[in-house]
Amino acid sequence: MRSRPRLPAWTATLTWKSAVFITVMCCALAAILGTLVHVSVTRRTVDDARERALARLATATRAYEAGEPLPRFAGVDPAALPAALRALAVGGERGTVVADADGRPTMWAAGPADGRALAVRTDYTTGAETIAGLDRSILGSSVLAIGLTLLVGAFAVTRVTRRLHLTAQVARRISAGDLDARVDDPRTRDPSRTEDEVAAVSGALDTMASSLQRKLQSEQRFTADVAHELRTPLTGLSAAAELLPEGRPSELVRDRVRAMRALTEDLLEISRLDAGTETVDLAVHELGPLAERVVRASGTPTEVRIVRDATVETDRRRLERVLGNLVANAHRHGAPPVVLTVDGPVVSVRDHGAGYPAYLIQDGPQRFRTESGGKGHGLGLTIAAGQAEVIGAELVFANVPRTTDGPDGPDDASGPGSPDGPGDPDGGGALARLTLPEYVRFDDRDDSDDRPDPHGRPDDPDDRDDPEG
């Protein structure tokens, strides 16, 4: 089946549709009015010429009946008389017709004269030229009117579409997280001005954005306040737990206190990310050694594969936080083996468990939601996604399709840079892929991760957050 050709995208715009509609309506109106004027003027011109021709025919008839010489414009059976009019006159009736005579438009009138046709002719050149000039005037005025109407219509429609495009642009900015974006249509700010439909939509969007901003800011303040207020009692509770005698109950208390402190710190970090007040401390780092340090600090049996090392310009502390949370999430909710692969500026963390839930792949991580059956609050991946956005990296979550091919199947053909890697015939599992902005060198110097960063601060390997969060 052959597919239908698709029209260009600009044909779907309101401006183009309005222009076509205005053009069609103007052409139809011009055609109707032009036809009416043409018919009316032509009928009047022909009637005037017919009356003059019939008056001459009456004069010629009286002269013929009186035996007097015929006028010079009259004759009996003239050779140029149209055949149809000749037959009508011979048949005993009178009639008129417009035809050419000697290359000029002529109004003929004929009547019976003893079995023959008595005919007179009147010059119709002036009438024909009047009608032709009228037609040209109608055509020119129609084209001019259509052009002016198109210009005025395009100007009016463009003003409307410009306001609609502005409203759509503000809506996209709001959906991207810019809650301060507003349309601020002048018709909505001035109560004395009458609102049109576009102003009503703009005002509704601004109202919705303001309401959403207030709710989100209230939620952010609540989260930050709760986390901040919990830090003091948790500090005291942690100190008190250390004074408990050794035993299983004290271990449980200390474990829960550590979990609550980690949760509180995560909530504080999320509140800072939501507020958009985080600043980045950019420096140039080698990605492979940095990823290996993150895995060593996590204390987990994670395999590190360096397919192709790369130099990136990023905030090391935040990158380590992202990678540490991805590795910890893979061990907590996935299944071994967990593999961290560095392939240029792309870092992927893959486990061999059941994979990510469908909602996470479609909508991204959501706080306080987890469906893997393990412990967690859904904050680790939320923080990882937020920190990745802060450093300008792209974090994508996906599931690796599970296959049933054996060692000789297609999976053995996967190269070392693939998510599965060699020797992974069954596939499956969750895959988090982090793409960082690669640093472009302008010379051949061998930059290392141990040199001071561009801001003049030493690169202290101990100056980082716990990757586990």
Side-chain angles (χ1 to χ4, degrees), residues 143-376:
V143 172
L144 181 60
I146 292 173
L148 291 177
T149 306
L150 271 177
L151 290 177
V152 175
F155 175 74
V157 173
T158 302
R159 291 189 62 186
V160 176
T161 55
R162 186 184 300 114
R163 294 166 60 196
L164 289 175
H165 283 306
L166 176 60
T167 303
Q169 182 181 5
V170 171
R172 286 191 290 268
R173 289 172 56 190
I174 293 173
S175 64
D178 185 7
L179 298 180
D180 293 324
R182 298 292 185 273
V183 180
D184 285 335
D185 195 295
R187 292 167 180 79
T188 60
R189 294 198 303 265
D190 189 358
S192 63
R193 301 184 63 177
T194 303
E195 289 189 2
D196 57 6
E197 289 79 1
V198 180
V201 173
S202 302
L205 178 64
D206 288 346
T207 302
M208 180 199 69
S210 299
S211 177
L212 179 63
Q213 185 179 36
R214 287 194 298 269
K215 291 181 179 179
L216 290 179
Q217 288 177 347
S218 177
E219 178 184 347
Q220 293 169 6
R221 285 194 299 269
F222 175 78
T223 303
D225 292 343
V226 169
H228 186 270
E229 293 298 326
L230 284 175
R231 297 182 78 175
T232 301
L234 281 176
T235 302
L237 186 59
S238 177
E242 296 298 330
L243 300 177
L244 294 176
E246 294 296 331
R248 181 60 179 168
S250 60
E251 292 179 1
L252 292 176
V253 171
R254 295 190 188 101
D255 179 68
R256 291 301 86 195
V257 169
R258 284 193 295 269
M260 290 184 65
R261 292 192 64 177
L263 175 59
T264 302
E265 295 299 328
D266 287 346
L267 288 175
L268 283 173
E269 186 170 356
I270 286 179
S271 66
R272 290 193 298 268
L273 292 173
D274 289 341
T277 58
E278 298 283 63
T279 58
V280 294
D281 184 13
L282 296 179
V284 179
H285 302 282
E286 296 295 331
L287 190 55
L290 189 148
E292 291 175 343
R293 287 202 305 269
V294 170
V295 171
R296 287 196 302 269
S298 68
T300 59
T302 303
E303 179 184 355
V304 179
R305 298 176 182 173
I306 309 296
V307 178
R308 179 173 63 90
D309 202 356
T311 303
V312 295
E313 186 175 14
T314 186
D315 188 322
R316 187 196 62 186
R317 181 182 65 84
R318 299 184 188 279
L319 177 58
E320 290 178 343
R321 177 69 156 158
V322 174
L323 296 181
N325 281 11
L326 294 179
V327 170
N329 183 82
H331 284 282
R332 183 179 298 115
H333 301 290
V338 176
V339 181
L340 186 149
T341 304
V342 177
D343 189 358
V346 180
V347 183
S348 59
V349 178
R350 187 263 175 102
D351 63 66
H352 291 71
Y356 291 119
Y359 79 87
L360 191 147
I361 297 177
Q362 181 177 357
D363 301 323
Q366 300 177 17
R367 63 194 67 176
F368 297 109
R369 180 175 181 181
T370 177
E371 298 181 0
S372 62
K375 297 180 180 179

Side-chain angles (χ1 to χ4, degrees), residues 128-148:
E129 291 177 351
T130 300
I131 295 175
L134 176 65
D135 291 342
R136 289 192 296 269
S137 299
I138 292 175
L139 181 60
S141 60
S142 298
V143 172
L144 181 60
I146 292 173
L148 291 177

Side-chain angles (χ1 to χ4, degrees), residues 56-131:
R56 286 187 172 188
L57 179 62
T59 302
T61 300
R62 288 193 296 270
Y64 178 80
E65 292 175 349
E68 298 176 356
L70 295 176
R72 61 181 181 83
F73 52 78
V76 179
D77 288 336
L81 183 65
L85 185 58
R86 184 190 303 275
L88 183 67
V90 171
E93 297 183 7
R94 302 171 65 185
T96 59
V97 69
V98 177
D100 286 340
D102 299 329
R104 297 174 64 87
T106 302
M107 173 65 75
W108 289 92
D114 298 330
R116 294 183 297 175
L118 176 62
V120 299
R121 61 183 182 179
T122 303
D123 187 22
Y124 191 66
T125 303
T126 304
E129 291 177 351
T130 300
I131 295 175

Side-chain angles (χ1 to χ4, degrees), residues 407-420:
D408 297 331
D411 286 313
D412 268 356
S414 60
S418 65
D420 294 342

